[in-house]
Structure formats: structure tokens, C-alpha cells
Amino acid sequence: AVATVATLLYLANQIRANTRAAKHQSLNDIIDRVIQWEARLVNSPDLMHSWTEGTKSYLNLQIDEQVRFTFLALEIFAACEATLESAKFGGVKIETIGAVKGIIHNLLRNKGIQEYWEVSGSKTMAIDFVREVNIILEVSKIENLDIPGPLPFHMPSAET
């Protein structure tokens, strides 16, 4: 009986350690996705131009820029969706959920991202994620879009 209890305690500790390791790995994967996304943006003048112009107005982009912008927006929204989906099963810390919602919020502070979301983005994601983003979008729509936010998620509207 003592051996059984000791084995169960050992297994419980191993499960907790594995859960912590999985959460840590999930967080690292999310961070890597965002860093890689930002690196592609920074290292490609075409992508940066499309992103900068698209955040101002998705609808005014030429078709080639709209395709590049859509790729970038879809990639970052998909990373956010994957994180929030992982959170449903305890795969990430609560603080990470807040950080991801902050990224979404700052993205949606851009007029062009709002246009993209309404025209295309909301039609390419899971319904539960779309609902979550739409809640954040309503808050973003009533904010002053000119207040600075973290680059490249929130791009300044005026040329400096």
C-alpha cells in the first residue's frame, strides 16, 4: 500500500512537471512565431510597405499589396488564435492570454486591420475566435487611433 501511494505521488509530480514544461514550450512557440513574423516584416521592404500601407487602409491597397498584407495579417491572427485555443485546455498561462488579447487589440486599432478583419479575416478563422476578436474590435473602434501603441502591431496613422 505504501509503495502504491508513493508511486501515485511520484506520478502526480511527473504530470505536474510535464504540464509546466508543456506550457513553457507553448509560450516559447508563440513567442517564436511572433518574432519570426516581425523579422520577415522588418527584413522585407515589400512586406513592410504592404503592412504599413495596409494598416492605414486595406481597401486602398493594390491587389499585390493586398495579398501580401492578407498573408501577414492572417499569419499573426492565426498565431493569436492558436494561443487562445491552447489556453482553453490549460496550455498557456493566464498572463499569456492577456498579452495575446493585447496584441489583437493593438492590431485592431489600425483602420486597415479593421477593414481587413471585416472583409476577409473574420471569414477565415474559427467562429469562437471570430467572436472574441469582434468583442475586442468594438472596443478598438471607439478608441483614439492616434494614441501610440507598440509597433508593428499598432502603426501610426500620420507620416513622421
Side-chain angles (χ1 to χ4, degrees), residues 62-92:
Q62 298 296 320
I63 191 68
D64 59 330
E65 288 183 323
Q66 210 172 59
V67 169
R68 281 192 293 269
F69 181 85
T70 297
F71 168 76
L72 290 166
L74 180 61
E75 186 177 15
I76 194 67
F77 274 108
C80 292
E81 180 181 24
T83 304
L84 295 180
E85 188 64 25
S86 178
K88 290 178 186 176
F89 306 103
V92 294

PDB file of all heavy atoms in Angstrom, residues 62-92:
ATOM      1  N   GLN A  62      -3.276  48.104 -53.667  1.00  0.00           N
ATOM      2  CA  GLN A  62      -3.277  47.406 -54.950  1.00  0.00           C
ATOM      3  C   GLN A  62      -3.370  45.906 -54.654  1.00  0.00           C
ATOM      4  O   GLN A  62      -3.018  45.459 -53.563  1.00  0.00           O
ATOM      5  CB  GLN A  62      -1.995  47.720 -55.733  1.00  0.00           C
ATOM      6  CG  GLN A  62      -1.819  49.187 -56.077  1.00  0.00           C
ATOM      7  CD  GLN A  62      -2.916  49.670 -57.025  1.00  0.00           C
ATOM      8  OE1 GLN A  62      -3.321  48.963 -57.941  1.00  0.00           O
ATOM      9  NE2 GLN A  62      -3.391  50.883 -56.796  1.00  0.00           N
ATOM     10  N   ILE A  63      -3.798  45.117 -55.630  1.00  0.00           N
ATOM     11  CA  ILE A  63      -4.046  43.702 -55.395  1.00  0.00           C
ATOM     12  C   ILE A  63      -2.806  42.958 -54.877  1.00  0.00           C
ATOM     13  O   ILE A  63      -2.910  42.142 -53.964  1.00  0.00           O
ATOM     14  CB  ILE A  63      -4.653  43.007 -56.643  1.00  0.00           C
ATOM     15  CG1 ILE A  63      -5.157  41.598 -56.288  1.00  0.00           C
ATOM     16  CG2 ILE A  63      -3.641  42.933 -57.769  1.00  0.00           C
ATOM     17  CD1 ILE A  63      -6.334  41.582 -55.390  1.00  0.00           C
ATOM     18  N   ASP A  64      -1.619  43.251 -55.430  1.00  0.00           N
ATOM     19  CA  ASP A  64      -0.416  42.555 -54.961  1.00  0.00           C
ATOM     20  C   ASP A  64      -0.095  42.914 -53.513  1.00  0.00           C
ATOM     21  O   ASP A  64       0.296  42.058 -52.710  1.00  0.00           O
ATOM     22  CB  ASP A  64       0.783  42.819 -55.877  1.00  0.00           C
ATOM     23  CG  ASP A  64       1.144  44.284 -55.998  1.00  0.00           C
ATOM     24  OD1 ASP A  64       0.246  45.148 -55.898  1.00  0.00           O
ATOM     25  OD2 ASP A  64       2.338  44.577 -56.210  1.00  0.00           O
ATOM     26  N   GLU A  65      -0.292  44.178 -53.147  1.00  0.00           N
ATOM     27  CA  GLU A  65      -0.073  44.588 -51.760  1.00  0.00           C
ATOM     28  C   GLU A  65      -1.143  43.990 -50.847  1.00  0.00           C
ATOM     29  O   GLU A  65      -0.860  43.619 -49.711  1.00  0.00           O
ATOM     30  CB  GLU A  65      -0.086  46.110 -51.636  1.00  0.00           C
ATOM     31  CG  GLU A  65       1.137  46.767 -52.230  1.00  0.00           C
ATOM     32  CD  GLU A  65       1.119  48.271 -52.027  1.00  0.00           C
ATOM     33  OE1 GLU A  65       0.031  48.886 -52.091  1.00  0.00           O
ATOM     34  OE2 GLU A  65       2.202  48.826 -51.797  1.00  0.00           O
ATOM     35  N   GLN A  66      -2.363  43.897 -51.346  1.00  0.00           N
ATOM     36  CA  GLN A  66      -3.446  43.327 -50.549  1.00  0.00           C
ATOM     37  C   GLN A  66      -3.168  41.852 -50.248  1.00  0.00           C
ATOM     38  O   GLN A  66      -3.411  41.378 -49.132  1.00  0.00           O
ATOM     39  CB  GLN A  66      -4.779  43.487 -51.288  1.00  0.00           C
ATOM     40  CG  GLN A  66      -5.956  43.609 -50.366  1.00  0.00           C
ATOM     41  CD  GLN A  66      -7.221  43.962 -51.093  1.00  0.00           C
ATOM     42  OE1 GLN A  66      -7.651  43.232 -51.974  1.00  0.00           O
ATOM     43  NE2 GLN A  66      -7.829  45.070 -50.705  1.00  0.00           N
ATOM     44  N   VAL A  67      -2.613  41.130 -51.221  1.00  0.00           N
ATOM     45  CA  VAL A  67      -2.267  39.726 -51.000  1.00  0.00           C
ATOM     46  C   VAL A  67      -1.168  39.612 -49.951  1.00  0.00           C
ATOM     47  O   VAL A  67      -1.256  38.790 -49.028  1.00  0.00           O
ATOM     48  CB  VAL A  67      -1.850  39.046 -52.329  1.00  0.00           C
ATOM     49  CG1 VAL A  67      -1.241  37.673 -52.078  1.00  0.00           C
ATOM     50  CG2 VAL A  67      -3.043  38.942 -53.266  1.00  0.00           C
ATOM     51  N   ARG A  68      -0.121  40.446 -50.054  1.00  0.00           N
ATOM     52  CA  ARG A  68       0.962  40.412 -49.063  1.00  0.00           C
ATOM     53  C   ARG A  68       0.430  40.776 -47.680  1.00  0.00           C
ATOM     54  O   ARG A  68       0.759  40.136 -46.679  1.00  0.00           O
ATOM     55  CB  ARG A  68       2.095  41.369 -49.459  1.00  0.00           C
ATOM     56  CG  ARG A  68       3.020  40.810 -50.521  1.00  0.00           C
ATOM     57  CD  ARG A  68       4.268  41.659 -50.674  1.00  0.00           C
ATOM     58  NE  ARG A  68       3.997  42.972 -51.211  1.00  0.00           N
ATOM     59  CZ  ARG A  68       4.016  43.284 -52.502  1.00  0.00           C
ATOM     60  NH1 ARG A  68       4.295  42.368 -53.404  1.00  0.00           N
ATOM     61  NH2 ARG A  68       3.773  44.514 -52.902  1.00  0.00           N
ATOM     62  N   PHE A  69      -0.380  41.813 -47.623  1.00  0.00           N
ATOM     63  CA  PHE A  69      -0.942  42.256 -46.349  1.00  0.00           C
ATOM     64  C   PHE A  69      -1.819  41.155 -45.745  1.00  0.00           C
ATOM     65  O   PHE A  69      -1.736  40.869 -44.543  1.00  0.00           O
ATOM     66  CB  PHE A  69      -1.758  43.538 -46.538  1.00  0.00           C
ATOM     67  CG  PHE A  69      -2.333  44.060 -45.251  1.00  0.00           C
ATOM     68  CD1 PHE A  69      -1.579  44.878 -44.431  1.00  0.00           C
ATOM     69  CD2 PHE A  69      -3.614  43.715 -44.863  1.00  0.00           C
ATOM     70  CE1 PHE A  69      -2.100  45.345 -43.227  1.00  0.00           C
ATOM     71  CE2 PHE A  69      -4.137  44.181 -43.667  1.00  0.00           C
ATOM     72  CZ  PHE A  69      -3.383  44.998 -42.856  1.00  0.00           C
ATOM     73  N   THR A  70      -2.650  40.530 -46.563  1.00  0.00           N
ATOM     74  CA  THR A  70      -3.531  39.460 -46.096  1.00  0.00           C
ATOM     75  C   THR A  70      -2.709  38.320 -45.509  1.00  0.00           C
ATOM     76  O   THR A  70      -3.043  37.782 -44.448  1.00  0.00           O
ATOM     77  CB  THR A  70      -4.425  38.957 -47.241  1.00  0.00           C
ATOM     78  OG1 THR A  70      -5.275  40.038 -47.657  1.00  0.00           O
ATOM     79  CG2 THR A  70      -5.279  37.777 -46.829  1.00  0.00           C
ATOM     80  N   PHE A  71      -1.623  37.957 -46.178  1.00  0.00           N
ATOM     81  CA  PHE A  71      -0.739  36.905 -45.676  1.00  0.00           C
ATOM     82  C   PHE A  71      -0.211  37.272 -44.292  1.00  0.00           C
ATOM     83  O   PHE A  71      -0.236  36.455 -43.366  1.00  0.00           O
ATOM     84  CB  PHE A  71       0.416  36.686 -46.654  1.00  0.00           C
ATOM     85  CG  PHE A  71       1.527  35.847 -46.104  1.00  0.00           C
ATOM     86  CD1 PHE A  71       1.398  34.477 -45.994  1.00  0.00           C
ATOM     87  CD2 PHE A  71       2.709  36.439 -45.669  1.00  0.00           C
ATOM     88  CE1 PHE A  71       2.418  33.698 -45.468  1.00  0.00           C
ATOM     89  CE2 PHE A  71       3.728  35.672 -45.149  1.00  0.00           C
ATOM     90  CZ  PHE A  71       3.590  34.304 -45.041  1.00  0.00           C
ATOM     91  N   LEU A  72       0.272  38.489 -44.142  1.00  0.00           N
ATOM     92  CA  LEU A  72       0.830  38.928 -42.859  1.00  0.00           C
ATOM     93  C   LEU A  72      -0.236  38.970 -41.768  1.00  0.00           C
ATOM     94  O   LEU A  72      -0.009  38.512 -40.645  1.00  0.00           O
ATOM     95  CB  LEU A  72       1.477  40.301 -43.011  1.00  0.00           C
ATOM     96  CG  LEU A  72       2.766  40.334 -43.820  1.00  0.00           C
ATOM     97  CD1 LEU A  72       3.124  41.773 -44.202  1.00  0.00           C
ATOM     98  CD2 LEU A  72       3.894  39.672 -43.046  1.00  0.00           C
ATOM     99  N   ALA A  73      -1.391  39.534 -42.089  1.00  0.00           N
ATOM    100  CA  ALA A  73      -2.465  39.642 -41.102  1.00  0.00           C
ATOM    101  C   ALA A  73      -2.974  38.255 -40.709  1.00  0.00           C
ATOM    102  O   ALA A  73      -3.163  37.967 -39.515  1.00  0.00           O
ATOM    103  CB  ALA A  73      -3.599  40.501 -41.648  1.00  0.00           C
ATOM    104  N   LEU A  74      -3.158  37.390 -41.691  1.00  0.00           N
ATOM    105  CA  LEU A  74      -3.629  36.036 -41.403  1.00  0.00           C
ATOM    106  C   LEU A  74      -2.635  35.298 -40.512  1.00  0.00           C
ATOM    107  O   LEU A  74      -3.018  34.605 -39.566  1.00  0.00           O
ATOM    108  CB  LEU A  74      -3.846  35.269 -42.709  1.00  0.00           C
ATOM    109  CG  LEU A  74      -4.337  33.834 -42.583  1.00  0.00           C
ATOM    110  CD1 LEU A  74      -5.690  33.786 -41.896  1.00  0.00           C
ATOM    111  CD2 LEU A  74      -4.406  33.181 -43.949  1.00  0.00           C
ATOM    112  N   GLU A  75      -1.362  35.473 -40.789  1.00  0.00           N
ATOM    113  CA  GLU A  75      -0.332  34.787 -40.009  1.00  0.00           C
ATOM    114  C   GLU A  75      -0.352  35.222 -38.537  1.00  0.00           C
ATOM    115  O   GLU A  75      -0.302  34.377 -37.637  1.00  0.00           O
ATOM    116  CB  GLU A  75       1.042  35.059 -40.621  1.00  0.00           C
ATOM    117  CG  GLU A  75       2.154  34.293 -39.976  1.00  0.00           C
ATOM    118  CD  GLU A  75       3.498  34.519 -40.647  1.00  0.00           C
ATOM    119  OE1 GLU A  75       3.655  35.471 -41.438  1.00  0.00           O
ATOM    120  OE2 GLU A  75       4.399  33.730 -40.349  1.00  0.00           O
ATOM    121  N   ILE A  76      -0.450  36.515 -38.276  1.00  0.00           N
ATOM    122  CA  ILE A  76      -0.436  36.966 -36.887  1.00  0.00           C
ATOM    123  C   ILE A  76      -1.750  36.629 -36.181  1.00  0.00           C
ATOM    124  O   ILE A  76      -1.761  36.227 -35.015  1.00  0.00           O
ATOM    125  CB  ILE A  76      -0.067  38.476 -36.764  1.00  0.00           C
ATOM    126  CG1 ILE A  76       0.274  38.838 -35.315  1.00  0.00           C
ATOM    127  CG2 ILE A  76      -1.142  39.379 -37.308  1.00  0.00           C
ATOM    128  CD1 ILE A  76       1.518  38.208 -34.777  1.00  0.00           C
ATOM    129  N   PHE A  77      -2.862  36.736 -36.894  1.00  0.00           N
ATOM    130  CA  PHE A  77      -4.145  36.353 -36.283  1.00  0.00           C
ATOM    131  C   PHE A  77      -4.181  34.847 -36.009  1.00  0.00           C
ATOM    132  O   PHE A  77      -4.715  34.413 -34.990  1.00  0.00           O
ATOM    133  CB  PHE A  77      -5.327  36.781 -37.154  1.00  0.00           C
ATOM    134  CG  PHE A  77      -5.775  38.193 -36.912  1.00  0.00           C
ATOM    135  CD1 PHE A  77      -5.537  39.175 -37.850  1.00  0.00           C
ATOM    136  CD2 PHE A  77      -6.442  38.545 -35.744  1.00  0.00           C
ATOM    137  CE1 PHE A  77      -5.944  40.494 -37.632  1.00  0.00           C
ATOM    138  CE2 PHE A  77      -6.866  39.851 -35.513  1.00  0.00           C
ATOM    139  CZ  PHE A  77      -6.610  40.826 -36.462  1.00  0.00           C
ATOM    140  N   ALA A  78      -3.605  34.038 -36.910  1.00  0.00           N
ATOM    141  CA  ALA A  78      -3.577  32.585 -36.699  1.00  0.00           C
ATOM    142  C   ALA A  78      -2.738  32.232 -35.469  1.00  0.00           C
ATOM    143  O   ALA A  78      -3.091  31.323 -34.703  1.00  0.00           O
ATOM    144  CB  ALA A  78      -3.045  31.879 -37.938  1.00  0.00           C
ATOM    145  N   ALA A  79      -1.629  32.942 -35.264  1.00  0.00           N
ATOM    146  CA  ALA A  79      -0.811  32.709 -34.078  1.00  0.00           C
ATOM    147  C   ALA A  79      -1.613  33.051 -32.811  1.00  0.00           C
ATOM    148  O   ALA A  79      -1.555  32.316 -31.815  1.00  0.00           O
ATOM    149  CB  ALA A  79       0.470  33.533 -34.135  1.00  0.00           C
ATOM    150  N   CYS A  80      -2.349  34.138 -32.875  1.00  0.00           N
ATOM    151  CA  CYS A  80      -3.186  34.529 -31.732  1.00  0.00           C
ATOM    152  C   CYS A  80      -4.290  33.497 -31.496  1.00  0.00           C
ATOM    153  O   CYS A  80      -4.556  33.113 -30.350  1.00  0.00           O
ATOM    154  CB  CYS A  80      -3.792  35.910 -31.967  1.00  0.00           C
ATOM    155  SG  CYS A  80      -2.584  37.250 -31.948  1.00  0.00           S
ATOM    156  N   GLU A  81      -4.903  33.044 -32.576  1.00  0.00           N
ATOM    157  CA  GLU A  81      -5.962  32.042 -32.450  1.00  0.00           C
ATOM    158  C   GLU A  81      -5.421  30.753 -31.827  1.00  0.00           C
ATOM    159  O   GLU A  81      -6.040  30.171 -30.935  1.00  0.00           O
ATOM    160  CB  GLU A  81      -6.588  31.740 -33.805  1.00  0.00           C
ATOM    161  CG  GLU A  81      -7.694  30.705 -33.732  1.00  0.00           C
ATOM    162  CD  GLU A  81      -8.311  30.369 -35.073  1.00  0.00           C
ATOM    163  OE1 GLU A  81      -7.656  30.563 -36.117  1.00  0.00           O
ATOM    164  OE2 GLU A  81      -9.457  29.896 -35.064  1.00  0.00           O
ATOM    165  N   ALA A  82      -4.263  30.316 -32.287  1.00  0.00           N
ATOM    166  CA  ALA A  82      -3.665  29.085 -31.752  1.00  0.00           C
ATOM    167  C   ALA A  82      -3.388  29.225 -30.259  1.00  0.00           C
ATOM    168  O   ALA A  82      -3.592  28.279 -29.487  1.00  0.00           O
ATOM    169  CB  ALA A  82      -2.386  28.757 -32.515  1.00  0.00           C
ATOM    170  N   THR A  83      -2.947  30.393 -29.848  1.00  0.00           N
ATOM    171  CA  THR A  83      -2.661  30.627 -28.433  1.00  0.00           C
ATOM    172  C   THR A  83      -3.931  30.564 -27.604  1.00  0.00           C
ATOM    173  O   THR A  83      -3.972  29.902 -26.564  1.00  0.00           O
ATOM    174  CB  THR A  83      -2.000  32.003 -28.247  1.00  0.00           C
ATOM    175  OG1 THR A  83      -0.847  32.063 -29.065  1.00  0.00           O
ATOM    176  CG2 THR A  83      -1.630  32.239 -26.796  1.00  0.00           C
ATOM    177  N   LEU A  84      -4.977  31.249 -28.062  1.00  0.00           N
ATOM    178  CA  LEU A  84      -6.227  31.249 -27.304  1.00  0.00           C
ATOM    179  C   LEU A  84      -6.864  29.866 -27.296  1.00  0.00           C
ATOM    180  O   LEU A  84      -7.491  29.468 -26.304  1.00  0.00           O
ATOM    181  CB  LEU A  84      -7.180  32.307 -27.861  1.00  0.00           C
ATOM    182  CG  LEU A  84      -6.694  33.752 -27.695  1.00  0.00           C
ATOM    183  CD1 LEU A  84      -7.709  34.730 -28.268  1.00  0.00           C
ATOM    184  CD2 LEU A  84      -6.383  34.083 -26.250  1.00  0.00           C
ATOM    185  N   GLU A  85      -6.689  29.117 -28.375  1.00  0.00           N
ATOM    186  CA  GLU A  85      -7.207  27.739 -28.410  1.00  0.00           C
ATOM    187  C   GLU A  85      -6.453  26.870 -27.407  1.00  0.00           C
ATOM    188  O   GLU A  85      -7.051  26.083 -26.680  1.00  0.00           O
ATOM    189  CB  GLU A  85      -7.068  27.179 -29.827  1.00  0.00           C
ATOM    190  CG  GLU A  85      -7.737  25.852 -30.038  1.00  0.00           C
ATOM    191  CD  GLU A  85      -9.250  25.866 -29.874  1.00  0.00           C
ATOM    192  OE1 GLU A  85      -9.883  26.928 -30.049  1.00  0.00           O
ATOM    193  OE2 GLU A  85      -9.805  24.794 -29.554  1.00  0.00           O
ATOM    194  N   SER A  86      -5.144  27.037 -27.359  1.00  0.00           N
ATOM    195  CA  SER A  86      -4.328  26.290 -26.406  1.00  0.00           C
ATOM    196  C   SER A  86      -4.726  26.629 -24.975  1.00  0.00           C
ATOM    197  O   SER A  86      -4.707  25.769 -24.088  1.00  0.00           O
ATOM    198  CB  SER A  86      -2.851  26.604 -26.647  1.00  0.00           C
ATOM    199  OG  SER A  86      -2.046  25.941 -25.729  1.00  0.00           O
ATOM    200  N   ALA A  87      -5.108  27.874 -24.750  1.00  0.00           N
ATOM    201  CA  ALA A  87      -5.497  28.316 -23.407  1.00  0.00           C
ATOM    202  C   ALA A  87      -6.752  27.597 -22.915  1.00  0.00           C
ATOM    203  O   ALA A  87      -6.910  27.390 -21.701  1.00  0.00           O
ATOM    204  CB  ALA A  87      -5.728  29.825 -23.403  1.00  0.00           C
ATOM    205  N   LYS A  88      -7.617  27.200 -23.829  1.00  0.00           N
ATOM    206  CA  LYS A  88      -8.847  26.503 -23.431  1.00  0.00           C
ATOM    207  C   LYS A  88      -8.546  25.198 -22.699  1.00  0.00           C
ATOM    208  O   LYS A  88      -9.344  24.716 -21.919  1.00  0.00           O
ATOM    209  CB  LYS A  88      -9.700  26.196 -24.656  1.00  0.00           C
ATOM    210  CG  LYS A  88     -10.314  27.401 -25.297  1.00  0.00           C
ATOM    211  CD  LYS A  88     -11.095  26.974 -26.514  1.00  0.00           C
ATOM    212  CE  LYS A  88     -11.622  28.155 -27.284  1.00  0.00           C
ATOM    213  NZ  LYS A  88     -12.292  27.733 -28.515  1.00  0.00           N
ATOM    214  N   PHE A  89      -7.384  24.630 -22.988  1.00  0.00           N
ATOM    215  CA  PHE A  89      -7.013  23.351 -22.402  1.00  0.00           C
ATOM    216  C   PHE A  89      -5.878  23.495 -21.397  1.00  0.00           C
ATOM    217  O   PHE A  89      -5.189  22.531 -21.087  1.00  0.00           O
ATOM    218  CB  PHE A  89      -6.631  22.372 -23.521  1.00  0.00           C
ATOM    219  CG  PHE A  89      -7.703  22.246 -24.562  1.00  0.00           C
ATOM    220  CD1 PHE A  89      -7.582  22.886 -25.787  1.00  0.00           C
ATOM    221  CD2 PHE A  89      -8.857  21.526 -24.304  1.00  0.00           C
ATOM    222  CE1 PHE A  89      -8.583  22.800 -26.735  1.00  0.00           C
ATOM    223  CE2 PHE A  89      -9.860  21.434 -25.247  1.00  0.00           C
ATOM    224  CZ  PHE A  89      -9.728  22.071 -26.466  1.00  0.00           C
ATOM    225  N   GLY A  90      -5.681  24.725 -20.926  1.00  0.00           N
ATOM    226  CA  GLY A  90      -4.649  24.980 -19.930  1.00  0.00           C
ATOM    227  C   GLY A  90      -3.246  24.966 -20.497  1.00  0.00           C
ATOM    228  O   GLY A  90      -2.284  24.816 -19.759  1.00  0.00           O
ATOM    229  N   GLY A  91      -3.125  25.135 -21.806  1.00  0.00           N
ATOM    230  CA  GLY A  91      -1.826  25.063 -22.461  1.00  0.00           C
ATOM    231  C   GLY A  91      -0.955  26.292 -22.316  1.00  0.00           C
ATOM    232  O   GLY A  91       0.224  26.239 -22.649  1.00  0.00           O
ATOM    233  N   VAL A  92      -1.517  27.388 -21.851  1.00  0.00           N
ATOM    234  CA  VAL A  92      -0.727  28.607 -21.631  1.00  0.00           C
ATOM    235  C   VAL A  92      -1.184  29.270 -20.334  1.00  0.00           C
ATOM    236  O   VAL A  92      -2.280  29.015 -19.842  1.00  0.00           O
ATOM    237  CB  VAL A  92      -0.851  29.623 -22.803  1.00  0.00           C
ATOM    238  CG1 VAL A  92      -0.247  29.069 -24.069  1.00  0.00           C
ATOM    239  CG2 VAL A  92      -2.280  30.047 -23.027  1.00  0.00           C
TER     240      VAL A  92
END
